[in-house]
Amino acid sequence: MAKNTGNGFRRGAVKNRSQVRTPSGWIKRDTRTGQFIDRKADAQPFKGVRKEQ
């Protein structure tokens, strides 16, 4: 399980999730179903979530 450290980074990876960059920002997606889960309001990517090509 991924844990937040409180120092701006996360220990471990978030499992069964990926993120993709779109013109409106970063979107988190479930890798098993392909459904979009969450969208970031700022331009920074999610912490500890793998990036798709």
Side-chain angles (χ1 to χ4, degrees):
M1 170 124 191
K3 301 234 179 214
N4 291 327
T5 61
N7 296 323
F9 65 95
R10 178 187 299 272
R11 292 225 189 265
V14 179
K15 300 194 189 256
N16 299 321
R17 300 285 187 267
S18 64
Q19 62 183 331
V20 63
R21 174 83 187 220
T22 64
S24 63
W26 290 93
I27 297 178
K28 190 168 22 176
R29 180 157 74 172
D30 188 337
T31 56
R32 288 179 282 171
T33 63
Q35 289 184 326
F36 293 123
I37 299 171
D38 195 12
R39 185 172 83 69
K40 287 278 290 208
D42 60 1
Q44 301 300 316
F46 290 97
K47 295 179 192 171
V49 180
R50 73 183 65 165
K51 295 176 177 80
E52 293 182 15
Q53 295 296 343

